[in-house]
Amino acid sequence: MYNFNLLAGYTPEFLKKSKEDPFVLARKKYPRPSEIELMTSLNDSVSFLIVRHPFERLLSAYRDKIQNAAPTNTVLQNLSKVIIHNFRRNKHSSLPQWPTFPEFVDYIINKIHNYRELNMHWTPITKFCTPCQVRFDIIAKFETLEEDQRYIIDKANIGHIVSPQWKNSGKGNKSTVDLLEDFYKELSENQVKEMYELFKYDFELFDYSVGEFYRNTPEKPSISSTSA
């Protein structure tokens, strides 16, 4: 988003001082296009999609939008209250005032079983960005983003304007990758399996493995531990 804002005409000095969300700034310069405009632009653009391990992406969304949601974000605060009300079994327990990760996963499972639309931050990429319908030139990965950024910038011939950036420091002292094992071992085998089924095509299409997330469960479910 920082680089898109540079391409939109914002100066580095302005972006450094601005308190506004980078996405909001970008939207002011890049109005949401129509589907026809998007498809037309693919003819003379370098199109790319950035993907991430589905379970890492899910935990990152939980930490950012639920566990560490800003007190001023009424929508997310109300969502947290709904999750606690519906999925916290002991309302008088000493659990935190925000939903735990298992409660959050139960909320998602309930939405799936009732055929309800998911928030874009935890909707599978294969549903949200339709990579089977759009022929992206480049599939970049979060795990190799610095290298992939260089490739995208080179292909788009915009190295004189932008350079690879890594400005998402995340929230909390530890990164999401460092906390993966701690959070996922809180889930039951069935919860992990349900999340795998939700993100199954993300795992397969983007070549991610799921087996490592079952090492703390008594028995592994009968699904492939590697992508197809």
Side-chain angles (χ1 to χ4, degrees), residues 93-205:
S93 68
S94 58
L95 292 174
Q97 295 180 348
W98 59 84
T100 64
F101 190 51
E103 290 166 349
F104 171 65
V105 169
D106 279 340
Y107 159 76
I108 294 177
I109 292 172
N110 180 266
K111 297 275 280 190
I112 298 167
H113 288 181
N114 287 284
Y115 304 100
R116 304 292 293 275
E117 186 176 348
L118 297 176
N119 182 287
M120 66 177 184
H121 293 99
W122 42 87
T123 295
I125 291 176
T126 43
K127 290 186 178 180
F128 188 63
C129 296
T130 58
C132 292
Q133 293 177 281
V134 178
R135 293 183 62 86
F136 290 101
D137 298 317
I138 301 165
I139 303 293
K141 286 196 169 185
F142 189 84
E143 295 81 3
T144 54
L145 194 52
E146 182 172 353
E147 178 184 353
D148 293 349
Q149 281 187 80
R150 294 185 188 281
Y151 182 77
I152 293 168
I153 290 169
D154 180 63
K155 285 291 183 182
N157 195 29
I158 53 175
H160 59 293
I161 306 174
V162 301
S163 60
Q165 300 290 330
W166 189 268
K167 294 183 177 295
N168 182 15
S169 58
K171 296 179 180 178
N173 296 325
K174 291 187 176 181
S175 70
T176 296
V177 175
D178 294 333
L179 295 170
L180 275 173
E181 183 175 345
D182 290 340
F183 274 89
Y184 274 90
K185 71 182 180 183
E186 295 177 5
L187 302 183
S188 69
E189 180 181 300
N190 185 66
Q191 286 176 310
V192 175
K193 186 175 182 179
E194 290 270 11
M195 289 300 94
Y196 171 78
E197 290 299 327
L198 170 63
F199 292 107
K200 180 178 180 179
Y201 295 114
D202 281 10
F203 274 103
E204 293 184 358
L205 192 59

Side-chain angles (χ1 to χ4, degrees), residues 58-64 66-67 98-101 104 183:
L58 179 66
L59 179 56
S60 178
Y62 164 76
R63 296 183 68 209
D64 186 54
I66 302 296
Q67 186 181 43
W98 59 84
T100 64
F101 190 51
F104 171 65
F183 274 89

Side-chain angles (χ1 to χ4, degrees), residues 196 203-204 208-212 214 221-228:
Y196 171 78
F203 274 103
E204 293 184 358
Y208 285 111
S209 171
V210 68
E212 64 200 82
Y214 290 105
S222 56
I223 60 176
S224 173
S225 62
T226 58
S227 58

